[in-house]
Amino acid sequence: MQRQTLQRVAIEAAFKDAKRPLAPVEVLEAARADVPTLNLATVYRTLKRMIQDHFIHPVELPGESARYELQAAANQHHHHFRCRKCDLVYDLEGCVDGLQSLLPEGFRMTGHDIVIYGDCTACNT
Amino acid sequence: MQRQTLQRVAIEAAFKDAKRPLAPVEVLEAARADVPTLNLATVYRTLKRMIQDHFIHPVELPGESARYELQAAANQHHHHFRCRKCDLVYDLEGCVDGLQSLLPEGFRMTGHDIVIYGDCTACNT
DNA sequence: TTGCATATGCAAATGCTTTTGCAATAAGAA
DNA sequence: TTCTTATTGCAAAAGCATTTGCATATGCAA
C-alpha cells in the first residue's frame, strides 16, 4: 500500500499552496521548505504517482517542459497565463467563443488550448 | 558569402510546397525527394541559417519540439490546428475576440497562442 | 517493538532533440 | 579551368528533462 511520507505530504502541500501550475523544480524548491533533503528524483516519482492517482494533471505550454496542477483545478475548463517577466504560469477562468469558426471546411474540433502572454500583477507594479 | 546549394534549394522548396509548419525530420524527408543524401545535421544547420535570414520562423506547440514555417506565413497573425490522427499541423486564418476579458485585474496581455486539436479533412474522410 | 515492504537519496543512465569536429565536396569568383 | 572557402555527411558529443539501480532509511501492520 501507499505510504504517507513527509516528502509526499510536502509535495501535496506545495500544490495546494501554489494554486497554479508548477514545474518539477518549482515543486522541489517549494517542498524543500518542509523537507530540506527532498530530492528531484523523488519529486518525479511522486509526480508520476500523483498523476496515476488523479491528484494532479500535466499542463503543457508551447516550447516548455511540463508543469503540473491539481486535478481539481483541471476539472473546470480553463486556460493559462504566462508572465514574460517572472516566468510564472497562472490559471485563467473562462473561455472564448468563435473558435469553431476558425476551422477550414472538413476539419473537426475536439479540443483547444489558449495561452496568454504578458506581465502579471506582481511584475506590473 | 552564402552559397546556393542543392540541399538549401531543396529545403526551401519543402517549405514552399508544404504550406504548413514542418518539423526538422519532416523537412528532411520532404527534401530528400530532391537530394537523397541530405543529412539531418545539414537540415538543422540550414534551419538555423534560414531563421537568421528571416526566411522561416519557429512554431511551438504544447509538449512538442519546434516546427518551422515560412516567415511570410508568420507575418500575418494566425494560429494552428493539430490533427490528433495524423499529427500534422495546419495554419488557421483569423483570430477570436474576448481574450482580454480572461485576464484578472492587473494583468497585461502582450501576446497569445491558440491551438485547436481535432481531425483534419484528410483523416475525417 | 519488531519485521518488512515501500519510499528515499544519490549517482549513473536514458531518451530525445540539437550541435559540433573534421575530412571530403562542391559553389562560384577569377 | 583553377582555386578558395563555404557547405556537406558522418559520427560523436552536448544539453535537456526524466528515469532507474541500489543500498539505506522509514512508514506502519502485527
Side-chain angles (χ1 to χ4, degrees):
Chain A
M1 87 271 49
Q2 188 161 141
R3 291 181 181 171
Q4 180 92 341
T5 65
L6 287 180
Q7 14 289 85
R8 170 170 262 265
V9 171
I11 291 173
E12 282 185 24
F15 280 112
K16 284 174 180 160
D17 293 347
K19 296 177 177 42
R20 60 182 185 81
L22 298 178
V25 183
E26 290 180 301
V27 174
L28 178 70
E29 288 165 359
R32 271 188 171 165
D34 296 337
V35 184
T37 64
L38 182 62
N39 188 279
L40 189 53
T42 300
V43 171
Y44 274 105
R45 278 187 283 236
T46 307
L47 290 178
K48 178 174 277 187
R49 192 60 159 288
M50 289 178 163
I51 292 170
Q52 292 170 353
D53 298 347
H54 302 292
F55 178 72
I56 59 172
H57 182 86
V59 173
E60 303 269 14
L61 296 200
E64 309 184 44
S65 43
R67 290 176 175 76
Y68 301 87
E69 70 180 355
L70 288 177
Q71 179 65 45
N75 282 340
Q76 48 194 133
H77 182 74
H78 70 285
H79 295 293
H80 297 97
F81 178 94
R82 161 77 202 279
C83 179
R84 284 192 157 126
K85 290 185 179 163
C86 67
D87 292 342
L88 295 191
V89 173
Y90 298 86
D91 282 356
L92 296 177
E93 290 177 34
C95 196
V96 295
D97 294 321
L99 288 173
Q100 193 78 45
S101 69
L102 300 181
L103 295 180
E105 198 64 39
F107 283 58
R108 194 165 63 90
M109 172 166 78
T110 61
H112 67 274
D113 276 343
I114 297 177
V115 184
I116 297 183
Y117 296 92
D119 312 317
C120 71
T121 314
C123 292
N124 243 345
T125 320
Chain B
M1 85 272 49
Q2 188 162 139
R3 289 177 183 175
Q4 180 91 343
T5 65
L6 287 180
Q7 14 292 84
R8 171 172 260 264
V9 170
I11 291 173
E12 282 186 23
F15 280 112
K16 284 174 180 160
D17 292 348
K19 295 177 175 45
R20 60 182 186 81
L22 298 177
V25 183
E26 290 180 301
V27 174
L28 178 69
E29 288 165 0
R32 271 189 171 162
D34 295 336
V35 184
T37 63
L38 182 62
N39 189 278
L40 189 54
T42 301
V43 170
Y44 274 104
R45 279 187 283 235
T46 307
L47 290 177
K48 177 173 276 186
R49 191 61 159 288
M50 288 178 164
I51 292 171
Q52 292 172 351
D53 299 346
H54 302 291
F55 179 72
I56 59 172
H57 182 86
V59 173
E60 305 269 15
L61 297 200
E64 310 185 43
S65 43
R67 289 177 177 76
Y68 301 87
E69 71 180 355
L70 289 178
Q71 179 64 47
N75 281 340
Q76 48 194 133
H77 182 74
H78 70 285
H79 295 294
H80 297 97
F81 179 93
R82 162 75 202 281
C83 180
R84 283 191 158 126
K85 290 185 178 162
C86 67
D87 292 341
L88 295 191
V89 173
Y90 298 88
D91 282 357
L92 296 177
E93 290 177 34
C95 196
V96 296
D97 293 321
L99 288 173
Q100 193 77 45
S101 69
L102 299 180
L103 295 180
E105 197 65 39
F107 283 58
R108 195 165 64 89
M109 172 166 77
T110 60
H112 67 273
D113 275 344
I114 297 178
V115 184
I116 298 184
Y117 296 91
D119 313 316
C120 70
T121 315
C123 292
N124 244 345
T125 321

